[in-house]
Each structure stands twice: as structure tokens, then as C-alpha cells.
Amino acid sequence: MSLVSIPVGFILATLINNVGKCKWQSFFRVGYYFPNIITGVSVVLIFQVVLKANGGLLNNALSIVTGHEVAIGWLSDSHYSRFGATILSVWGNIGYSMLINLASLQSIPSEIYEAAEVDGANRVQRIIHITLPAIRPTICILLILAIGGILNTGFEQQLLMQNDSILNYSDVLDTYAYRYG
């Protein structure tokens, strides 16, 4: 678990928890947790489709937003390969963080939020003064797990994403030991 996925998972859990009951809530829960269910090889294959230089989903979305053709080699260009690996790592870990935070958020009694709303607290004040203190133990556990797994770089994902053009930039301790061990 990466340190970046903890706040992103909290934000997603807060959004899903505040949406209430809607038909898309289950879809988003499964969609974000999906990388934890499938194998690392499948996650890399999906990401190779998303981050492909020509015709990848991310480049197509950026082309639509910017209005001109974008062809960034997220996994083949040395300048962007670290960013692509970071996106993969965050996407692979936000589901776990989101589900743990969502379970913690749903354990907070709704009466506390209602009382704060009657007292005039806005949404940000309720998050700062009610939500964060209530889920502080959960956040601490997630931080301990993230720090404990700091050397875990996702060996199979790193190995599968490497190619000759980015090898000097994407080599991690696990893949180095694998090649020269």
C-alpha cells in the first residue's frame, strides 16, 4: 500500500458514503477494489491498454480535454514511466484503503452528524471535527501498513511493465535482484 492511496482512498470513501443509496454506489465500490481481486498480471495488462501511447484510454481522454492529439508514452518514455508506475500503484491500492475507510465511516452514528448540522456546522467542519477524529485509529492502522510495505514495490507489476527504453529509470530493488541474482 502506498502512502498516496490512503488520502485518495479516504476521499473516495467519503464521496461514496455521502452519495447515499444510488445504483452506481456498488459499481464504484467494485471498480475501485477490482485490482485487489484480480492478479497483478491482469492489472498490468489492463493498464497497458489504458496507458498505451497510441490509442490508449488516458491519451484519448487527454486529447478530448485539450482539443489536440496527445500521444504520451506513459510506459515507454523515460520521462513518464515513473508517473505511469505511480498511477498503477495508486489504482492498485486505493480500493483496499477505500473499503477500510468506508467501513469505518459507516460505523459513525448518523445522529452525531445530524446534531452538528443542527448546530450550524457545514460539511467541511463536520469532516474535520467529527469524521477525522472518529476514524483516526483506522487511518493510523493504514499508515502503519503502508510504512510496513514501503519496500514492497509490486515485483510482478514492475517486471511486466519494464522494457529496454525505460529500464534505467524503472528498475527497483526486486527487479535488480531478480536480474542479477
Side-chain angles (χ1 to χ4, degrees):
M1 176 178 305
S2 68
L3 291 174
V4 175
S5 63
I6 294 172
V8 174
F10 172 73
I11 292 168
L12 289 174
T14 304
L15 289 174
I16 288 175
N17 193 40
N18 288 337
V19 166
K21 277 295 194 191
C22 76
K23 61 182 179 180
W24 293 100
Q25 189 176 26
S26 297
F27 172 76
F28 285 117
R29 284 183 186 176
V30 172
Y32 290 124
Y33 195 69
F34 191 65
N36 297 87
I37 299 170
I38 61 177
T39 64
V41 175
S42 302
V43 171
V44 170
L45 291 174
I46 290 170
F47 242 74
Q48 286 176 344
V49 170
V50 171
L51 298 178
K52 192 185 325 177
N54 295 326
L57 296 175
L58 183 59
N59 284 338
N60 287 342
L62 289 174
S63 296
I64 291 169
V65 169
T66 60
H68 63 278
E69 186 67 27
V70 176
I72 299 172
W74 296 103
L75 300 175
S76 58
D77 188 359
S78 61
H79 297 358
Y80 298 105
S81 65
R82 289 184 183 153
F83 187 67
T86 302
I87 292 172
L88 176 64
S89 174
V90 169
W91 183 63
N93 292 314
I94 60 170
Y96 179 74
S97 175
M98 185 229 10
L99 278 182
I100 299 296
N101 280 314
L102 188 60
S104 183
L105 286 172
Q106 291 176 345
S107 70
I108 302 172
S110 61
E111 292 84 18
I112 297 174
Y113 288 112
E114 292 168 2
E117 193 172 350
V118 168
D119 289 341
N122 62 24
R123 185 178 302 262
V124 174
Q125 290 172 330
R126 288 185 302 229
I127 289 174
I128 291 172
H129 297 293
I130 297 171
T131 305
L132 288 177
I135 67 167
R136 183 180 301 142
T138 304
I139 292 172
C140 289
I141 294 294
L142 288 173
L143 282 171
I144 290 169
L145 289 173
I147 290 169
I150 207 155
L151 288 178
N152 182 11
T153 57
F155 169 71
E156 57 192 18
Q157 293 160 346
Q158 293 293 333
L159 185 68
L160 291 170
M161 286 179 21
Q162 285 183 344
N163 56 46
D164 292 337
S165 63
I166 62 168
L167 187 60
N168 293 334
Y169 301 98
S170 66
D171 209 11
V172 293
L173 184 62
D174 294 340
T175 56
Y176 180 82
Y178 175 74
R179 276 199 327 278
Y180 293 107

